[in-house]
Amino acid sequence: MGDVKANHFSVCFFLSVTTFRLLGRGMEICRRAFSSLSTKYKYLSVLKSADFVYNVEFARPQKSNALKLDMFSELRRIFQELTYTADCRCVILSGAGNNMTAGIDINDFSTLLQGSSDGARRSREIRKTLIQLQEDISAIEECPKPVIAAVHGACIGAGVDIITACCIRHATKDALFSVKEVDLGLAPDVGTLQRLPKVISNESLIRELVYTGRNFSGEEAAKYGLVSALYDDRESLIDGAVTLAKTIAAKSPVAVQTSKHSLNYSRDHTVTEGLKDIAIRNQLMLQSEDVVTAVTSQFSKEPAEFENY
């Protein structure tokens, strides 16, 4: 009987070790596949702005970066890639040309109402597309790397959906924001109604902005708490965002990414649930070499150098 148990244990141990090794190899393959980030996208560009800092840019300036359906799917693919890009510790999201984004491309999205003449079947297709778009934008929030939205010019409609999925928002003083969907005869459906109340605590103001679709400036956005820093022009905005990103990237990536997870988790759960979650995570993360490296740096007054994560 003892031999049977011993053999059973040996088999289970072998299977466990083999599974662990296969999973490790799988993760290594994923990391290698994503290690050289592709910049060949049709509507967005990805550039490395500084060590450990990447800039994702809407690259349709001739159309004010109006958002086509394919731009949303590209956005998701990029942030999924950045998740596994080892030397990426912070991301800046910006727009080329004169605007962040003019919102959805009306011509492109008109196809949503086409298709089957049957209401039930057409409704299913519309729902499928909406869920896809929601997941595309949520990829920004789900990426463990901090994301800084650098907003200049117009940031309309779906642009607000996108920037509220970012960790930090900076803007130029003359930036123009609008929760525009009501003027198109529809309710925002890809994030603004869910995330904006988590960003701005004034419910009366949120309802005013959503119900009227009115424009508001960068200075107003700062007053409302939507953005945390203002700049005179796009150049100084990007410079400021890069400086902030470099500061974040110089910190322990384990600490920063765990903090992002905990902030997002705690936002959507009770205080007790948030405390339990961070206790579970930090029982692992406190064993990281980053803790020793950071503490040593504090005493030596020398910059810390952390391994990629």
Side-chain angles (χ1 to χ4, degrees), residues 23 48 50 59-60 66 80 94 98 117 160 170 182 195 197 246 305:
L23 286 172
K48 195 169 183 180
R60 203 181 175 216
Q80 287 176 338
S94 61
N98 297 322
S117 59
V160 178
H170 288 184
V182 69
R195 293 189 175 99
K246 288 167 67 176
E305 292 186 6

Side-chain angles (χ1 to χ4, degrees), residues 151-220:
V151 182
H152 78 290
C155 183
I156 306 296
V160 178
D161 293 299
I162 289 170
I163 67 168
T164 53
C166 298
C167 301
I168 298 167
R169 291 160 294 278
H170 288 184
T172 56
K173 294 176 182 177
D174 61 355
L176 184 145
F177 300 84
S178 173
V179 183
K180 193 71 173 173
E181 285 83 351
V182 69
D183 288 335
L184 301 178
L186 54 93
D189 49 20
V190 290
T192 291
L193 298 185
Q194 292 69 40
R195 293 189 175 99
L196 191 59
K198 309 284 189 178
V199 176
I200 300 176
S201 59
N202 188 329
E203 183 182 358
S204 175
L205 173 64
I206 292 168
R207 290 176 182 272
E208 175 191 328
L209 297 176
V210 171
Y211 296 164
T212 65
R214 73 169 177 83
N215 297 337
F216 58 100
S217 68
E219 292 184 329
E220 286 183 272

Side-chain angles (χ1 to χ4, degrees), residues 70-231:
D70 288 345
M71 291 178 75
F72 287 91
S73 59
E74 282 192 8
L75 193 67
R76 184 212 285 240
R77 293 203 307 274
I78 287 170
F79 277 94
Q80 287 176 338
E81 272 192 272
L82 290 171
T83 293
Y84 293 104
T85 301
D87 73 336
C88 173
R89 297 185 187 177
C90 194
V91 185
I92 297 167
L93 181 61
S94 61
N98 297 322
N99 299 287
M100 178 74 169
T101 175
I104 61 172
D105 187 319
I106 302 296
N107 294 326
D108 202 46
F109 278 76
S110 63
T111 59
L112 270 176
L113 300 179
Q114 299 174 7
S116 174
S117 59
D118 180 77
R121 290 171 174 79
R122 189 164 63 248
S123 295
R124 175 167 289 184
E125 286 302 310
I126 292 173
R127 181 176 183 273
K128 177 183 176 182
T129 300
L130 292 177
I131 290 175
Q132 179 70 52
L133 295 173
Q134 291 171 356
E135 292 175 348
D136 291 340
I137 293 175
S138 291
I140 301 171
E141 191 172 76
E142 291 164 3
C143 175
K145 319 299 172 70
V147 183
I148 303 168
V151 182
H152 78 290
C155 183
I156 306 296
V160 178
D161 293 299
I162 289 170
I163 67 168
T164 53
C166 298
C167 301
I168 298 167
R169 291 160 294 278
H170 288 184
T172 56
K173 294 176 182 177
D174 61 355
L176 184 145
F177 300 84
S178 173
V179 183
K180 193 71 173 173
E181 285 83 351
V182 69
D183 288 335
L184 301 178
L186 54 93
D189 49 20
V190 290
T192 291
L193 298 185
Q194 292 69 40
R195 293 189 175 99
L196 191 59
K198 309 284 189 178
V199 176
I200 300 176
S201 59
N202 188 329
E203 183 182 358
S204 175
L205 173 64
I206 292 168
R207 290 176 182 272
E208 175 191 328
L209 297 176
V210 171
Y211 296 164
T212 65
R214 73 169 177 83
N215 297 337
F216 58 100
S217 68
E219 292 184 329
E220 286 183 272
K223 183 174 70 174
Y224 301 154
L226 178 60
V227 302
S228 55
L230 291 176
Y231 298 86

Side-chain angles (χ1 to χ4, degrees), residues 243-298:
T243 298
L244 174 60
K246 288 167 67 176
T247 300
I248 294 170
K251 309 299 182 182
S252 158
V254 174
V256 171
Q257 292 176 38
T258 302
S259 295
K260 175 174 178 177
H261 166 83
S262 187
L263 285 167
N264 288 348
Y265 184 90
S266 297
R267 178 196 63 194
D268 300 328
H269 294 78
T270 65
V271 172
T272 300
E273 290 168 333
L275 289 170
K276 288 180 179 178
D277 179 74
I278 193 60
I280 291 170
R281 289 186 173 271
N282 263 8
Q283 72 181 359
L284 297 171
M285 301 310 177
L286 285 173
Q287 300 178 60
S288 168
E289 285 296 320
D290 285 20
V291 175
V292 176
T293 302
V295 172
T296 301
S297 172
Q298 291 293 311

Side-chain angles (χ1 to χ4, degrees), residues 41-45 57-60 65 68 70-71 74:
Y41 293 95
K42 186 174 182 181
Y43 299 114
L44 289 95
S45 66
E57 187 175 70
F58 295 118
R60 203 181 175 216
N65 295 319
K68 295 174 67 68
D70 288 345
M71 291 178 75
E74 282 192 8

